[in-house]
Amino acid sequence: MAKGGETNSGCVGVFGILLVIGLIASIPMEVWIGLSGLIVTGVLVWAVLKALPVLEAKRARRTAAAAQRRRDEEAARQRQRVVDLGEMNVGRIDSALAAVQQVADSRAAREGWLGDVDFSVDIQGITDTYARAQQMRRVTWELQALSSPTADDRRLLSEAHATATQLEAAATARVDLILRCALEAQSIDESLRREDEQAQTAAAREALHRELSTLLYGVGAAPSAEAADSAADRVMARVAGYREIKQQITLARGLPVG
């Protein structure tokens, strides 16, 4: 009995497999192609979704690294500027550059009141002068560090110190001149703003004078309300005429006037 049951189960299994194979074979090739396309598309979408976070993380790391590299380069550039020009002189040059930008952005410059506002030659001259002064000071520091200074050492150090001071003073005077240019440009902008306000006020005053004069002229030229040939006057005249005729008819009939 057990052996017969196993045989029946095996037959049913084989029949089921054959049935599945038959169903699969009955599916048209177009359906298989469509299903294959869907499966491939699904796999690609899954792969892209899995890869997106990884790619995004790599991109974020590259962006952060590039930003850090730019910050490091800028910090190194600023340190080198301090070495080449001196810390205070770097601050003066930055102030001059800000003033140059202020002049360029001013209305006075845009409208041509200031002429040529290209300060590139001035900035370059100031930078070169500060650089020469700073280089001279570095050499003096090295000379001062030597032991057993001689008379020539002291003479050169004195002359170098005086020359460096003169160079820095000349460059700083040019910086101050550029700063005054920015203040003057700001003053001209303020003057132009006041002129605009005054012109607008004058234009508004003229328009109001013209409108009010027109209104006054219209009042003087228009007929008075009492002399106007209005409908009210015509109606009242007809009322008076009616009453006069009515009175005459009453008198003619010998009736008492009511």
Side-chain angles (χ1 to χ4, degrees):
M1 292 296 291
K3 187 175 181 181
E6 291 177 357
T7 302
N8 291 335
S9 298
C11 292
V12 171
V14 171
F15 176 76
I17 293 172
L18 293 176
L19 180 62
V20 171
I21 294 174
L23 291 174
I24 294 175
S26 65
I27 297 175
M29 183 60 65
E30 293 80 0
V31 175
W32 283 114
I33 294 174
L35 290 174
S36 299
L38 290 175
I39 293 172
V40 171
T41 302
V43 171
L44 290 176
V45 170
W46 175 83
V48 169
L49 292 177
K50 291 289 288 183
L52 277 178
V54 177
L55 295 175
E56 199 63 36
K58 289 182 178 179
R59 186 183 312 158
R61 286 195 296 271
R62 286 196 301 268
T63 302
Q68 184 61 45
R69 186 166 56 252
R70 287 192 298 270
R71 288 193 295 270
D72 293 341
E73 291 173 354
E74 179 61 21
R77 189 180 71 87
Q78 289 296 333
R79 287 193 298 270
Q80 190 60 45
R81 286 183 74 206
V82 170
V83 171
D84 293 340
L85 304 172
E87 186 173 359
M88 293 184 62
N89 295 334
V90 167
R92 293 187 180 107
I93 292 175
D94 289 343
S95 297
L97 290 172
V100 167
Q101 188 62 47
Q102 183 178 350
V103 171
D105 293 340
S106 67
R107 177 183 171 186
R110 292 196 305 271
E111 296 184 1
W113 293 99
L114 304 179
D116 185 9
V117 293
D118 184 4
F119 289 86
S120 57
V121 174
D122 301 79
I123 296 297
Q124 188 61 52
I126 291 169
T127 303
D128 291 343
T129 303
Y130 279 141
R132 286 198 301 271
Q134 185 66 9
Q135 184 179 10
M136 193 172 297
R137 292 191 185 281
R138 284 200 303 272
V139 176
T140 60
W141 295 334
E142 293 176 4
L143 183 56
Q144 285 176 340
L146 296 179
S147 60
S148 304
T150 66
D152 285 341
D153 291 344
R154 288 188 287 271
R155 178 181 57 80
L156 286 174
L157 287 172
S158 178
E159 292 178 0
H161 177 73
T163 302
T165 301
Q166 291 173 358
L167 289 173
E168 286 186 342
T172 301
R174 299 299 297 175
V175 170
D176 293 340
L177 183 59
I178 293 176
L179 296 179
R180 287 203 302 273
C181 287
L183 291 176
E184 292 299 333
Q186 183 179 0
S187 176
I188 293 175
D189 281 1
E190 181 63 22
S191 176
L192 293 173
R193 186 189 63 79
R194 288 196 301 268
E195 289 178 2
D196 287 345
E197 290 180 352
Q198 292 171 358
Q200 292 172 0
T201 300
R205 179 177 289 106
E206 182 180 356
L208 292 173
H209 282 192
R210 186 167 53 250
E211 183 179 0
L212 190 56
S213 297
T214 301
L215 292 173
L216 290 172
Y217 173 77
V219 170
S224 64
E226 295 178 356
D229 185 19
S230 66
D233 292 333
R234 293 195 298 272
V235 169
M236 292 305 297
R238 288 181 177 275
V239 170
Y242 168 78
R243 287 181 177 174
E244 183 177 355
I245 293 173
K246 181 68 174 176
Q247 184 179 12
Q248 291 177 359
I249 292 173
T250 301
L251 290 174
R253 291 178 179 177
L255 299 175
V257 178

